Amino acid sequence: MNKSDVIIIGAGIVGASVAYQLSQRYPGLKVTVIEKESEPAKHQTGRNSGVIHAGVYYEPGSLKATFCREGLKATIAFCQDHGLPFLQCGKLIVATNDQEEQRLHALFQRSQENQLTTRLLSQSQLRALEPNITGQSAIHVEETGITDYQAITRAMLDSVVSNGGSVAYQQEVTDLYEDETCVKVNTQHHTFQANWLINCAGLHCDRLAKIMGVNTDIKIVPFRGEYYQLPSRYNDIVKHLIYPVPDPQMPFLGVHLTRMIDGSVTVGPNAVLALAREGYSKADYSFKDALETLTFPGFWKLASTHAKSGFGEMRDSLFKKGYLARVQKYAPDIQLDDLLPYPSGVRAQAVSAQGKLIHDFVFHDTPRSLHVGNAPSPAATSAIPIGKEIISRLADRLDVA
C-alpha cells in the first residue's frame, strides 16, 4: 500500500498547483498526485486557448475576480522564474453593433471596478491598432497574455517530485474510503492511503465528491468547445487577442481569435452540449455520461432557460457557415476554407438542481478531504491562487512538524 500525507486526485494545472505549493510550503510533507491518464494536463488544462486572463468580466469582489487578478501576476512570475514562454500581447473586446456597445460600456465599468488597466477605443482607434478587425468600438485590456499551461503543469509536477513527492499515472480511481484515521483511494492497480485527500478531478470532481459522501445538488454538465486554426498566412492577422462582447447571461465568452504561444492563430470556442465528459468530437458518446446529464432535472431547467442560444450553438457546430459568420462580424477577411481542424476541449460546467449555471468557485469538505466542486474558467489563469486557497482551508488540519 502506498502511504502519503496528502493525496491529490488530478494532474491538471489545479491539482499540480496544489501539490507544488504544498511541497514548497511543507518540505517534509509526502505528497502523492494520482492521475488516470499517462501524462499530465490531458483534459481542460491542455485543451484551452492558453490565455492568461485579466478578469474583465467577473463580479467585483468574487473569488473568480480575485483569483483571476492574482493569478495573472502569479502565472507570469512562475513563467519568469522557470524560463517558460509567455507574452502579454493584450486583448481587444470588440463591439460590432449598438446593443454590443451598450454591453461594452458596462464591461468597461466592471473592468475599472476590478482595477484593471483598460481603455475604451473608438472605431478609428480600433482600426489603427488592428487594421484587419472591424467594429464600432472596443475595450483594450493591457494585462491579458498567452502562455503554455501544459508546460507550467509539467514544471510544477517536476518540482513536486524533486521535493520528494510522487506522481502516479494511469491510476483511475475506482473507490474512495474515509474514516477517523485516514483516507484510502483504490484504483484498478493499487491502494493509496493518506491523512488527507484533495479532489481536483475536474470533469469528474462531482462523482468523487459523491463517493466521499458530500451532499450537494451541483452536477457537472460537459460542454464541448470547438476550435479551428487559421492557415499560417494569417499568423500576423492580429497583434492582440480579439474577443466579441459576451452575452452576460452565459458563462462562455464567445468565438474569439487567439494568438497562440507557438505563433499560430486559432478561432473559437463555441459551446455545445457534449454527450460524454471527455467528448472531444461530435461522435463521442458515453451512455453513462449522457444518461447522467439527461436525467438531471437541473439540465432540463437550464435547457429551457437557454433554448434559443443552445439551438444556435448546435446549429453553428453542425454547419460551419454559421460558425464563420460569428468570426466575420469582426474579422471579415476570413473565409470558410480558412477554418482548419484543431483539437476541441470540454468544459466542466457546474449546474445546480434549479438549473442555474454556477459561475464562481465552489469547495466542499469532509473531515479528511477537500473537493474542488467547481473551478470555472479561467481556472488555468487562477490555478496558483486556487491552490493557495485550498491549502489555507487545510492548514489547520495538516499534521506536519
Side-chain angles (χ1 to χ4, degrees):
M1 181 181 293
N2 184 303
K3 293 186 178 181
S4 307
D5 293 304
V6 180
I7 289 173
I8 297 163
I9 300 176
I13 194 168
V14 173
S17 170
V18 177
Y20 169 73
Q21 293 184 75
L22 275 174
S23 67
Q24 294 288 309
R25 182 169 173 178
Y26 304 111
L29 204 68
K30 185 176 181 184
V31 177
T32 298
V33 180
I34 297 175
E35 168 58 47
K36 71 183 182 68
E37 304 295 350
S38 59
E39 58 185 293
K42 287 285 285 183
H43 296 289
Q44 293 185 99
T45 301
R47 289 176 171 268
N48 64 38
S49 52
V51 176
I52 312 172
H53 288 277
V56 173
Y57 311 96
Y58 315 125
E59 184 69 31
S62 66
L63 283 178
K64 201 169 183 179
T66 302
F67 286 173
C68 188
R69 189 167 57 248
E70 294 175 358
L72 182 144
K73 295 177 182 178
T75 300
I76 290 172
F78 187 91
C79 289
Q80 290 171 328
D81 290 345
H82 293 80
L84 300 176
F86 77 95
L87 175 66
Q88 282 188 279
C89 54
K91 162 181 173 175
L92 298 177
I93 304 171
V94 179
T96 59
N97 57 46
D98 293 343
Q99 183 186 48
E100 289 180 356
E101 262 200 297
Q102 291 179 357
R103 292 177 179 172
L104 191 77
H105 284 275
L107 272 181
F108 179 72
Q109 179 61 37
R110 175 160 285 190
S111 74
Q112 297 293 292
E113 293 171 2
N114 281 325
Q115 302 173 4
L116 301 178
T117 306
T118 56
R119 60 185 176 122
L120 279 172
L121 303 179
S122 66
Q123 188 174 49
S124 60
Q125 289 172 318
L126 169 62
R127 178 66 69 174
L129 273 182
E130 293 287 1
N132 297 312
I133 299 301
T134 298
Q136 294 182 187
S137 59
I139 297 174
H140 178 218
V141 188
E142 184 177 301
E143 292 98 331
T144 304
I146 51 175
T147 189
D148 181 344
Y149 285 116
Q150 287 179 301
I152 292 173
T153 303
R154 288 193 295 268
M156 287 178 170
L157 293 174
D158 286 346
S159 178
V160 171
V161 174
S162 296
N163 285 339
S166 61
V167 185
Y169 292 109
Q170 294 181 300
Q171 300 292 329
E172 184 169 2
V173 175
T174 57
D175 199 10
L176 301 171
Y177 170 81
E178 175 184 12
D179 63 21
E180 64 276 5
T181 63
C182 69
V183 289
K184 292 181 181 178
V185 180
N186 292 327
T187 72
Q188 70 272 45
H189 301 302
H190 296 288
T191 296
F192 298 82
Q193 179 179 310
N195 296 323
W196 310 101
L197 180 141
I198 302 171
N199 170 11
C200 300
L203 286 159
H204 304 282
C205 64
D206 57 334
R207 289 173 172 167
L208 297 188
K210 184 177 179 181
I211 293 173
M212 291 290 284
V214 171
N215 184 19
T216 175
D217 71 347
I218 294 174
K219 186 173 290 294
I220 295 300
V221 175
F223 284 88
R224 185 172 57 255
E226 297 163 334
Y227 293 86
Y228 293 97
Q229 186 173 48
L230 298 182
S232 58
R233 67 178 182 274
Y234 284 108
N235 283 2
D236 296 320
I237 188 174
V238 289
K239 303 179 184 70
H240 304 77
L241 310 179
I242 308 297
Y243 279 66
V245 178
D247 181 342
Q249 301 303 313
M250 299 297 289
F252 313 113
L253 299 182
V255 172
H256 43 269
L257 288 180
T258 304
R259 292 181 58 187
M260 305 296 283
I261 201 67
D262 65 1
S264 63
V265 177
T266 63
V267 178
N270 58 0
V272 292
L273 178 68
L275 294 178
R277 294 203 181 193
E278 296 169 16
Y280 298 114
S281 76
K282 294 180 177 69
D284 286 340
Y285 174 79
S286 161
F287 178 80
K288 175 184 176 181
D289 295 350
L291 182 66
E292 199 166 319
T293 294
L294 298 176
T295 56
F296 176 48
F299 166 72
W300 292 106
K301 294 174 183 177
L302 174 69
S304 63
T305 302
H306 299 288
K308 182 178 179 181
S309 58
F311 281 121
E313 294 285 341
M314 291 174 62
R315 178 197 63 221
D316 294 344
S317 170
L318 294 170
F319 302 102
K320 200 158 69 168
K321 285 186 178 179
Y323 198 112
L324 175 66
R326 300 188 190 198
V327 183
Q328 288 183 329
K329 284 179 66 178
Y330 55 81
D333 292 343
I334 296 174
Q335 302 301 311
L336 199 63
D337 290 344
D338 297 326
L339 300 182
L340 306 178
Y342 193 80
S344 296
V346 173
R347 175 182 181 137
Q349 178 60 55
V351 178
S352 73
Q354 293 73 41
K356 302 295 184 183
L357 295 163
I358 309 300
H359 296 293
D360 212 350
F361 293 90
V362 174
F363 300 98
H364 307 292
D365 62 6
T366 71
R368 289 193 170 271
S369 70
L370 188 145
H371 303 261
V372 182
N374 190 42
S377 178
T381 298
S382 306
I384 293 175
I386 294 171
K388 184 179 178 182
E389 172 71 15
I390 289 170
I391 293 169
S392 73
R393 289 170 180 256
L394 286 177
D396 61 342
R397 294 189 270 175
L398 289 172
D399 185 19
V400 294

